[in-house]
Amino acid sequence: MANMSVCEFRPGLEGIAAAQSSISCVDGQKGILEYRGIRIEELAEKSNFLETAYLLIWGELPTKEELEAFEHEIRYHRRIKYRIQDMMKCFPESGHPMDALQASAAALGLFYARRDLDNPVYIRAAVVRLLAKIPTMVAAFQLMRKGNEPVRPRDDLSYAANFLYMLNEQETDPLAAHIFDICLLLHAEHTMNASTFSARVTASTLTDPYAVVASAVGTLGGPLHGGANEEVIGMLEEIGSVENVRPYLEDCLERKARIMGFGHRVYKVKDPRATILQSLAEKLFEKFGHDKYYDIALEMEHVIEERLGQKGIYPNVDFYSGLVYRKLGIPTDLFTPVFAIARVAGWLAHWKEQLAENRIFRPTQVYNGLHNSHYIPMEKRSLLGKDHQTIY
Ligand code: CMC
């Protein structure tokens, strides 16, 4: 069959614009990240997660009244229904919290089934519900997998303080809550990454926002994306000492193994979020005690810069976030769900933007398979040369 059209295939769609967006912007050469035109450093210093979520989703900073109303709605919607909790109680405790989160986010679509994408009231309710309930679901799974009842959210606590309270079953130090809030802000949005693309593809079918978030959560979980923060801690533990950093990394480089928490498709310098997270980690160590893994991390950054700096490989957002979360008492396998709590803001902003000028995603492909083959009768087929294994 003649080739009907010639199109270029770029693995990973590198350099291909999948959407027009005014939500965030990265300059990977200069190490600049802006949300709606505002530098991330300025937001981290002056704003908070919910105000920034509002900025991302509605395109401008809220007035005092708008922010108060938004925060009030979110506080009011933090609780999850008993039946969602009952469903989550049936999840296997050995399952990964990202899988629990993906299933719970999708289940919200069952409980809030009405879909009315042209109605701003519906859009706002979905935004509020997802931002409010995702942290509650992450904390609830953490407690339930240990055999405990989930802790009810507290309306008198801020967004960040309430999550840490639900997780640790005790009130959190104000500095710790403030630093956690900045972490959420830093992870809230990051242009057309894999999970955001996934969210937009799902959104483009005009399905419900819970399915949009569930598909993005599934995409975020992989070790090349959000899952890297979890792997960084495993690697620091494996290295164990500052002296072992160089031999460990040399071995990785020789084996051409990926070093988690380093490298980025867009940034060719140190990720600005990594710089802020590093300073947050230092603030935490100052108040709550040093972490020996920080010394290992510093040495890693030094060696990687020396060995891979010329390739533009520097720490990304996932390198220092794990050290901050460890100090906040967050278990390692909750690092990626915590990333998801924050990124819901960006996914929802992209959902709204996609709906505003929607065209269903339907890319093409470069077909490199067979043509004009024929059905082979069973008795003439052979297993020879095929890699099949029976799974019991
Ligand atoms: N360790 C060692 N070498 C690396 C790394 C790394 N972490 N990252 C890139 N390289 C090398 C790679 O081997 C290749 O070398 P060569 O040209 O000699 O073959 C070159 O750099 C380009 O790599 P690439 O795979 O073409 O780059 P990419 O843009 O497809 O990959 C990445 C980006 C983030 C997937 C990759 O840097 C990586 O695997 N990093 C480790 C995982 C990680 O930390 N992920 C979190 C990313 S940031 C947050 C997020 O997205 O959630």
Side-chain angles (χ1 to χ4, degrees):
M1 190 194 293
N3 210 355
M4 299 296 285
S5 67
V6 179
C7 60
E8 190 192 353
F9 164 54
R10 297 241 199 123
L13 299 185
E14 183 164 4
I16 294 179
Q20 293 194 81
S21 180
S22 60
I23 300 168
S24 67
C25 176
V26 170
D27 182 332
Q29 300 300 331
K30 294 190 182 140
I32 294 173
L33 168 61
E34 292 171 338
Y35 292 169
R36 300 282 185 191
I38 307 175
R39 289 276 285 260
I40 193 73
E41 292 82 359
E42 190 172 348
L43 288 168
E45 189 194 328
K46 298 179 181 160
S47 184
N48 59 50
F49 172 66
L50 282 186
E51 185 185 48
T52 296
Y54 189 103
L55 168 73
L56 289 167
I57 296 166
W58 277 285
E60 51 189 23
L61 285 166
T63 62
K64 186 168 177 289
E65 293 72 30
E66 283 168 337
L67 182 59
E68 278 171 6
F70 186 52
E71 284 179 347
H72 176 78
E73 281 171 77
I74 286 178
R75 277 172 208 269
Y76 181 73
H77 282 91
R78 281 176 184 164
R79 281 181 290 279
I80 51 174
K81 291 181 187 293
Y82 282 119
R83 286 167 72 192
I84 295 185
Q85 280 186 31
D86 288 349
M87 177 197 77
M88 292 178 72
K89 279 180 188 159
C90 299
F91 292 171
E93 59 262 34
S94 56
H96 195 284
M98 274 304 265
D99 295 327
L101 177 58
Q102 189 185 21
S104 327
L108 285 178
L110 287 164
F111 289 89
Y112 305 102
R114 193 175 63 95
R115 187 186 309 145
D116 192 1
L117 299 178
D118 294 324
N119 182 349
V121 177
Y122 172 84
I123 301 281
R124 177 148 178 139
V127 164
V128 165
R129 277 196 191 109
L130 279 158
L131 282 169
K133 294 184 195 304
I134 294 271
T136 312
M137 296 192 300
V138 171
F141 181 68
Q142 168 61 10
L143 292 190
M144 290 192 287
R145 70 176 168 162
K146 291 193 292 184
N148 299 328
E149 279 296 325
V151 170
R152 275 170 74 93
R154 281 227 339 239
D155 291 354
D156 60 319
L157 295 176
S158 72
Y159 190 83
N162 173 59
F163 174 70
L164 294 173
Y165 163 74
M166 290 188 296
L167 200 62
N168 299 321
E169 301 180 78
Q170 59 185 23
E171 269 194 49
T172 305
D173 176 272
L175 176 73
H178 173 63
I179 285 182
F180 183 61
D181 189 76
I182 304 175
C183 290
L184 294 178
L185 182 157
L186 294 175
H187 285 84
E189 157 64 7
H190 206 245
T191 72
M192 196 54 63
N193 53 81
S195 58
T196 300
F197 182 48
S198 173
R200 284 192 83 125
V201 171
T202 310
S204 80
T205 69
L206 302 184
T207 185
D208 70 74
Y210 309 103
V212 169
V213 167
S215 73
V217 169
T219 311
L220 184 70
L224 295 186
H225 193 7
N229 56 13
E230 194 179 320
E231 309 238 345
V232 168
I233 293 297
M235 187 179 58
L236 293 173
E237 284 170 354
E238 206 181 323
I239 295 175
S241 70
V242 174
E243 298 68 47
N244 197 28
V245 168
R246 196 173 283 274
Y248 179 95
L249 292 178
E250 292 298 346
D251 177 57
C252 289
L253 294 176
E254 204 173 305
R255 289 185 288 111
K256 295 197 179 305
R258 289 288 155 129
I259 297 146
M260 292 294 141
F262 287 87
H264 199 277
R265 174 66 61 81
V266 186
Y267 292 116
K268 298 304 161 205
V269 294
K270 187 168 175 175
D271 185 326
R273 299 165 300 171
T275 307
I276 303 173
L277 283 161
Q278 185 176 1
S279 76
L280 296 178
E282 284 174 359
K283 277 190 192 152
L284 281 175
F285 301 150
E286 214 172 279
K287 178 149 188 193
F288 302 107
H290 193 67
D291 183 339
K292 76 164 186 171
Y293 291 130
Y294 184 52
D295 301 326
I296 300 176
L298 286 178
E299 179 64 5
M300 280 188 75
E301 182 175 350
H302 171 70
V303 175
I304 295 288
E305 182 171 355
E306 189 187 300
R307 298 285 277 104
L308 296 177
Q310 77 286 358
K311 274 194 187 177
I313 294 169
Y314 288 91
N316 60 45
V317 68
D318 289 324
F319 190 57
Y320 286 110
S321 63
L323 288 171
V324 174
Y325 296 155
R326 244 169 78 87
K327 205 69 197 169
L328 293 173
I330 298 172
T332 309
D333 63 359
L334 287 197
F335 292 178
T336 320
V338 162
F339 190 157
I341 289 174
R343 189 53 62 83
V344 166
W347 294 331
L348 290 171
H350 282 271
W351 169 57
K352 264 186 89 246
E353 192 174 67
Q354 183 65 37
L355 291 182
E357 269 185 65
N358 190 50
R359 185 146 196 241
I360 188 168
F361 276 91
R362 202 329 179 171
T364 186
Q365 62 172 13
V366 175
Y367 179 68
N368 64 0
L370 301 171
H371 289 292
N372 297 322
S373 332
H374 291 286
Y375 182 82
I376 304 168
M378 190 67 79
E379 62 279 10
K380 293 201 173 158
R381 295 178 214 166
S382 155
L383 261 184
L384 272 182
K386 289 187 186 163
D387 186 16
H388 283 302
Q389 282 183 359
T390 308
I391 296 168
Y392 295 100

